[in-house]
Amino acid sequence: GDVYKRQFMDLTRRALEGSSQRPDLIVWPETMLPSIGFEPDSMRTLNGFGDAFAHLLRWPREIEALSRQLGIPLLVGTEAWLGTSSVPTDDGRIRLTREYEYNSAYLIQGQPPYQRYDKVVLTPFGERMPLISNWEWLERKLLALGAPGMSFNLDQAEEPYLLTLRKDESTIALATPICFEDTVSWLCRTMAYQEGKKRIDLFVSMSNDGWFGWSEADRRQHVQMARWRCIENRVPMVRSVNTGLSVHLDSCGRIVGAVGSGRFGNAGLEGCLEASVNLDRRVTVFDRGGWLWPWLVLIVCVALLAVASFPKSKDQTHEAAK
């Protein structure tokens, strides 16, 4: 709770003290700010109730103050509530409701409303039930049976929204896949390219890999899949992960830096990663043709197998016997 958020703020300050140069952006992992987000309308709604919901406003305000104090933009993961309102309950209390709730990444820069990316592909079995979530009544029944008290109440964004980081007189276009979205090839390609033209400079992936538990192999596999997104799109990536592995990947998928020792770094280790990113304007065949090339290869392979398995004529068999 508050201890971890305070720890992240202290770690951010210590990292800047030991930094060799002033960074253009500070990135926190996914969901490190449990809150309702930074939407001005929602915050005004909560303000109207005085101290009743002060705990939900405290940390967003502290993050804003931290960014202003440091003079550096922050990219933080939190929930985003839209259309927040209140409903009185039978016992005289107040219950908050919202029209939409997203798993989001906020770029804290300038004045609100801040730029926000809402997650497009929700995590299977963590944020949605594949197929089953299409029927709300069936989802409720299965959750009541296997996971009482749990609810899949996050909304899914229709398309990815890119963030624009202002740097002096220039800008840097960011795509911010959240959690396992950096394993979804078509989504990252959609983020990186539009009508065959490259439109981003950098992937910034924010993840909560705590659900891997003790498994180091699963965390490494997550990094390996993220590396493919860099290769496919020729876009570098910085991964910020609460339990590790936090790494810096170049546009060829090579691991340039990591938190901890070894090739991939270490999980469960407190630390920070300073990444000096080299941008890449190259365009790949995959980005120009998408999945056309893999489908062509598959069709050719199927055709060759069909030809190889076609029964030979009697004359061919006789000649082979000689």
Side-chain angles (χ1 to χ4, degrees):
D2 288 357
V3 174
Y4 291 112
K5 290 189 283 290
R6 183 64 61 191
Q7 185 178 359
F8 260 81
M9 296 181 76
D10 292 341
L11 180 60
T12 299
R13 292 190 177 95
R14 296 200 309 270
L16 287 176
E17 292 173 359
S19 177
S20 60
Q21 56 185 347
R22 183 180 181 81
D24 299 309
L25 178 67
I26 297 171
V27 183
W28 283 16
E30 176 194 11
T31 63
M32 287 300 100
L33 185 65
S35 176
I36 63 164
F38 296 84
E39 297 307 306
D41 289 343
S42 295
M43 297 184 79
R44 278 194 294 269
T45 298
L46 267 61
N47 262 326
F49 294 98
D51 295 334
F53 299 110
H55 62 288
L56 293 176
L57 296 172
R58 175 188 172 192
W59 285 108
R61 287 171 173 167
E62 293 219 18
I63 294 300
E64 290 176 318
L66 177 65
S67 180
R68 288 193 298 268
Q69 177 188 359
L70 300 176
I72 301 172
L74 265 69
L75 187 64
V76 296
T78 185
E79 293 180 4
W81 283 29
L82 280 67
T84 305
S85 59
S86 60
V87 176
T89 61
D90 294 337
D91 58 1
R93 298 184 179 183
I94 299 172
R95 179 170 59 89
L96 290 177
T97 63
R98 65 278 189 196
E99 294 181 20
Y100 299 98
E101 180 180 351
Y102 297 105
N103 183 354
S104 303
Y106 276 94
L107 179 58
I108 310 302
Q109 183 180 43
Q111 298 298 319
Y114 303 115
Q115 298 177 67
R116 185 187 83 239
Y117 166 74
D118 300 325
K119 195 172 184 182
V120 174
V121 180
L122 300 183
T123 304
F125 307 106
E127 295 170 328
R128 69 179 180 90
M129 294 281 283
L131 298 178
I132 294 171
S133 288
N134 294 329
W135 295 277
E136 187 177 346
W137 64 270
L138 181 58
E139 181 184 281
R140 288 199 306 267
K141 293 291 185 182
L142 288 178
L143 285 176
L145 178 65
M150 187 176 180
S151 62
F152 295 139
N153 54 5
L154 288 177
D155 292 292
Q156 179 178 355
E158 295 181 359
E159 58 182 356
Y161 178 81
L162 303 183
L163 308 181
T164 301
L165 175 66
R166 296 188 297 274
K167 179 186 176 184
D168 300 327
E169 300 300 322
S170 62
T171 59
I172 299 174
L174 306 177
T176 53
I178 297 175
C179 196
F180 100 116
E181 283 187 323
D182 60 5
T183 72
V184 183
S185 181
W186 66 263
L187 175 64
C188 290
R189 177 176 177 265
T190 301
M191 291 175 167
Y193 286 82
Q194 187 174 52
E195 298 179 354
K197 295 182 179 179
K198 203 169 194 175
R199 60 175 183 162
I200 67 168
D201 299 303
L202 176 66
F203 283 122
V204 182
S205 178
M206 312 160 69
S207 186
N208 172 9
D209 281 2
W211 53 295
F212 286 139
W214 54 265
S215 176
E216 186 86 3
D218 288 329
R219 292 183 172 86
R220 292 193 177 194
Q221 183 68 19
H222 197 174
V223 174
Q224 294 285 48
M225 288 188 282
R227 296 175 68 191
W228 277 105
R229 307 295 83 80
C230 300
I231 297 169
E232 290 167 351
N233 300 285
R234 283 293 183 256
V235 175
M237 179 186 294
V238 175
R239 299 187 73 242
S240 180
V241 187
N242 62 338
T243 61
L245 304 165
S246 294
V247 297
H248 168 205
L249 308 172
D250 70 8
S251 59
C252 294
R254 293 173 293 214
I255 301 175
V256 180
V259 174
S261 59
R263 184 183 181 192
F264 290 87
N266 301 110
L269 179 67
E270 179 184 288
C272 61
L273 173 64
E274 185 175 327
S276 181
V277 180
N278 293 320
L279 307 184
D280 191 338
R281 300 312 304 168
R282 289 179 293 175
V283 177
T284 66
V285 174
F286 175 72
D287 287 312
R288 290 186 183 276
W291 290 101
L292 177 61
W293 174 249
W295 277 111
L296 287 175
V297 172
L298 177 61
I299 291 171
V300 170
C301 289
V302 170
L304 291 174
L305 285 172
V307 171
S309 60
F310 195 82
K312 296 180 179 180
S313 65
K314 291 183 178 179
D315 291 339
Q316 290 175 316
T317 305
H318 181 68
E319 288 294 330
K322 288 182 179 180

